[in-house]
């Protein structure tokens, strides 16, 4: 059947039906009855569905689309590169997009990060970070240092090493406990972002690192914002103390900035809230402005030098599509657009607007807490939402919001129009209010 000849609604239903026949979606069953919405095109902060409905985007496609969809300059960066070459292998060859992007990253990430390893996705960037940490200690002949200390409620990706450092409960470690490497976990930071610091907040972390440092290669955490593991915001002093304790107990610090990087928390990188530099840092998600899949793992000269002086003498990783030129070109343009834009003012405005307009949720009986940091607004409910039901309510309200568990949250593109932002927040509040009924 020629789907182009179908009236819009049939095309919509047809796609959904064929999708269900063939495709897995994230964390889903193939026989899932959960609603699906085909997108025909997207522009700015709006998604146009195949049946003609238009949704205001509250998700930035999972933190990534900071400049909005279908951005003329990002489109241009891609088409210019595709006219040169779409890809070449990165073994023995290099190209301008990779070199310029690596240079940008080293110049704009926290001081001391000096070398860049490109990979395909966030999870792989985390694998590479862990591999760097393990090879670092191997090359110093301290092979007993092979474990990781992570925070409860953390999320670091879906591959096996990444899973091993995700929250043991929400990361469903019991499903894979035969193969997951046992790691060490400290309590999730018990202090909100703005909360007055008290030294006992770091007690549990200190105790874990004190007890286990002889087997610890590194601490891995999401700085300031724990994302997919609970949308938890914590005090910059906590991160400062972590840095100090890593130095004291000779552990590397891996900052997973895959969600927090590129301005989302109000600083260009979340580590800047604490004025610290990690030894290893992962970026992804918004790196390409949400255009392509690309991630990077940065490390200090200290880490790089040690690895290269070790027994292996090389970093043992090399993805086929490493430093893909299309992805690097669009990433470089996205990074340049970001720092040339008034992103601080935009993120501050997102924060101020969400704080004001999401506030009515705080007094609802079924809401536990409302919190906002930078371009992230969270309404935490007392009970998990029924995703299938509530998803359709959001779509009927003209907004794209995808809750998980007890969390209804938004992180709109930085470029969202103020009227759309207001509509997004107001519709979110009315859908959340109706969840109760
Ligand atoms: C999304 C995410 C990852 C995994 O990235 P993928 O590109 O989905 O593999 C890792 N760490 C954090 C903090 C993330 O938010």
């Amino acid at each position: 059947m020629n789907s182009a000849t179908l009236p819009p609604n049939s095309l919509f239903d047809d796609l959904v039906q064929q999708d269900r026949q063939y495709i897995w979606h994230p964390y889903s069953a193939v026989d899932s009855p959960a609603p699906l919405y085909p997108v025909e095109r997207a522009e700015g902060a709006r998604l146009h569905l195949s049946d003609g409905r238009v949704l205001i985007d509250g998700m930035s496609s999972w933190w990534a689309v900071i400049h909005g969809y279908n951005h003329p300059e990002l489109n241009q960066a891609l088409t210019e590169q595709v006219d040169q070459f779409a890809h070449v292998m990165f073994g023995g060859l290099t190209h301008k997009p990779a070199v310029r992007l690596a240079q940008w990253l080293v110049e704009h990430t926290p001081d001391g990060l000096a070398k860049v390893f490109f990979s395909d996705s966030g999870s792989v960037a985390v694998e590479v970070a862990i591999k760097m940490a393990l090879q670092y200690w191997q090359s110093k002949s301290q092979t007993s240092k092979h474990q990781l200390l992570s925070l409860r409620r953390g999320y670091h990706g879906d591959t096996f090493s990444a899973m091993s450092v995700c929250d043991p409960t929400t990361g469903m470690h019991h499903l894979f406990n035969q193969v997951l490497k046992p790691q060490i976990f400290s309590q999730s930071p018990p202090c909100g972002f703005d909360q007055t610091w008290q030294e006992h907040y770091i007690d549990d972390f200190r105790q874990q690192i004190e007890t286990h440092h002889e087997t610890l290669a590194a601490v891995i955490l999401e700085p300031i914002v724990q994302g997919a593991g609970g949308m938890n915001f914590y005090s910059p002093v906590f991160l400062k103390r972590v840095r100090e304790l890593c130095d004291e107990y000779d552990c590397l610090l891996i900052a997973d900035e895959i969600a927090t990087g590129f301005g989302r928390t109000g600083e260009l990188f979340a580590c800047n809230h604490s004025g610290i530099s990690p030894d290893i840092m992962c970026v992804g998600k918004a790196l390409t402005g949400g255009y392509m899949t690309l991630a990077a793992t940065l490390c200090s000269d200290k880490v790089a030098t040690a690895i290269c002086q070790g027994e292996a003498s090389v970093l043992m990783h090399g993805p086929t599509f490493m430093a893909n030129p299309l992805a690097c070109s669009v990433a470089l343009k996205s990074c340049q657009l970001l720092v040339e834009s008034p992103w601080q003012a935009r993120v501050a405005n997102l924060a101020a607007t969400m704080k004001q307009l999401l506030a009515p949720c705080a007094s609802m009986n079924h809401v536990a807490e409302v919190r906002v940091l930078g371009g992230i607004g969270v309404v935490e409910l007392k009970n998990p939402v029924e995703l299938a039901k509530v998803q359709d309510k959001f779509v009927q309200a003209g907004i794209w919001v995808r809750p998980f568990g007890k969390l209804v949250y938004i992180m709109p593109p930085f470029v969202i129009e103020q009227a759309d932002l207001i509509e997004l927040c107001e519709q979110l509040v009315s859908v959340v209010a109706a969840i109760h009924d």
Side-chain angles (χ1 to χ4, degrees):
M1 198 180 344
N2 178 0
S3 58
T5 62
L6 291 169
N9 266 342
S10 322
L11 170 62
F12 189 96
D13 295 337
D14 213 38
L15 278 173
V16 170
Q17 197 194 340
Q18 288 175 9
D19 177 292
R20 291 198 194 290
Q21 191 178 346
Y22 300 114
I23 307 180
W24 293 99
H25 281 264
Y27 306 102
S28 73
V30 280
D31 56 359
S32 162
L36 269 180
Y37 307 92
V39 174
E40 193 66 26
R41 63 193 181 86
E43 189 104 37
R46 291 171 169 219
L47 306 176
H48 297 248
L49 302 184
S50 302
D51 61 2
R53 285 183 288 181
V54 180
L55 308 180
I56 300 169
D57 178 33
M59 302 305 292
S60 298
S61 285
W62 280 336
W63 312 84
V65 183
I66 52 177
H67 306 298
Y69 301 88
N70 206 356
H71 192 288
E73 288 179 71
L74 295 177
N75 292 2
Q76 191 190 345
L78 264 183
T79 51
E80 278 174 12
Q81 183 57 39
V82 85
D83 285 340
Q84 301 299 313
F85 55 99
H87 185 63
V88 290
M89 62 187 280
F90 211 50
L93 298 174
T94 192
H95 42 78
K96 215 174 357 177
V99 175
R100 296 280 175 266
L101 177 59
Q103 199 174 10
W104 191 97
L105 288 171
V106 167
E107 282 169 8
H108 290 84
T109 51
D111 289 345
L113 296 167
K115 301 285 187 263
V116 183
F117 189 100
F118 289 113
S119 59
D120 325 77
S121 73
S123 300
V124 177
V126 169
E127 296 289 328
V128 170
I130 293 173
K131 200 180 265 188
M132 281 177 178
L134 296 181
Q135 280 199 243
Y136 175 83
W137 292 111
Q138 272 170 13
S139 65
K140 294 185 166 295
S141 301
Q142 298 201 40
T143 46
S144 62
K145 286 174 83 68
H146 57 82
Q147 271 191 309
L148 294 148
L149 170 56
S150 176
L151 304 180
R152 287 186 187 273
R153 291 178 77 182
Y155 176 77
H156 297 285
D158 292 348
T159 52
F160 277 90
S161 298
M163 266 201 293
S164 77
V165 288
C166 289
D167 182 272
T169 312
T170 59
M172 296 210 271
H173 281 198
H174 66 277
L175 289 177
F176 308 104
N177 65 6
Q178 306 289 330
V179 284
L180 283 186
K181 186 173 169 62
Q183 312 286 19
I184 310 296
F185 290 90
S186 133
Q187 154 192 107
S188 179
C191 42
F193 180 81
D194 290 325
Q195 214 165 330
T196 309
W197 176 254
Q198 298 183 32
E199 282 307 326
H200 69 83
Y201 292 151
I202 198 71
D203 282 355
D204 187 62
F205 182 89
R206 175 183 284 115
Q207 196 186 339
Q208 299 300 334
I209 198 168
E210 232 168 54
T211 309
H212 297 285
H213 66 96
E214 283 173 6
T215 64
L216 286 179
V219 168
I220 181 166
L221 50 67
E222 296 153 280
I224 308 301
V225 174
Q226 295 189 290
M231 303 302 283
N232 187 36
F233 310 151
Y234 65 87
S235 166
V237 184
F238 186 94
L239 181 57
K240 253 171 118 153
R241 291 292 178 270
V242 167
R243 176 69 273 184
E244 291 160 8
L245 288 164
C246 285
D247 290 338
E248 188 180 337
Y249 287 100
D250 214 9
C251 295
L252 297 175
L253 175 59
I254 303 172
D256 179 350
E257 291 253 11
I258 290 166
T260 50
F262 306 100
R264 180 55 70 180
T265 69
E267 293 280 350
L268 195 54
F269 294 94
C271 285
N272 302 359
H273 286 287
S274 309
I276 63 117
S277 291
D279 302 287
I280 299 172
M281 186 169 117
C282 304
V283 293
K285 290 198 163 99
L287 172 60
T288 63
Y291 264 59
M292 313 225 4
T293 176
L294 181 73
T297 309
L298 288 90
C299 73
S300 64
D301 275 322
K302 174 181 100 168
V303 171
T305 306
I307 289 171
C308 301
Q309 288 169 351
E311 182 198 332
S313 79
V314 296
L315 180 65
M316 289 301 286
H317 215 91
T320 305
F321 287 97
M322 188 166 179
N324 174 259
L326 292 174
C328 288
S329 297
V330 76
L332 177 62
K333 180 52 80 176
S334 176
C335 290
Q336 290 168 340
L337 278 177
L338 179 64
V339 293
E340 288 161 9
S341 74
W343 65 270
Q344 286 107 326
R346 284 177 178 162
V347 173
N349 176 63
L350 285 178
T353 307
M354 290 192 292
K355 250 180 205 157
Q356 189 195 340
L357 298 183
L358 300 181
C361 290
S363 55
M364 295 175 191
N365 274 333
H366 59 303
V367 171
E369 191 184 41
V370 176
R371 50 187 183 268
V372 172
L373 177 66
I376 314 165
V378 182
V379 178
E380 182 164 342
L381 307 179
K382 289 178 181 159
N383 296 303
V385 297
E386 261 188 87
L387 182 62
K389 264 197 205 157
V390 78
Q391 184 72 89
D392 211 46
K393 293 209 174 111
F394 283 121
V395 171
Q396 281 166 25
I399 60 176
W400 181 242
V401 178
R402 187 158 176 90
F404 68 83
K406 299 174 186 175
L407 300 166
V408 178
Y409 64 103
I410 49 175
M411 44 220 183
F414 297 168
V415 299
I416 189 170
E417 303 277 348
Q418 187 64 9
D420 277 3
L421 178 59
I422 293 169
E423 175 78 4
L424 172 66
C425 293
E426 288 179 350
Q427 291 299 336
L428 185 150
V429 171
S430 67
V431 173
V432 166
I435 287 176
H436 192 43
D437 303 336

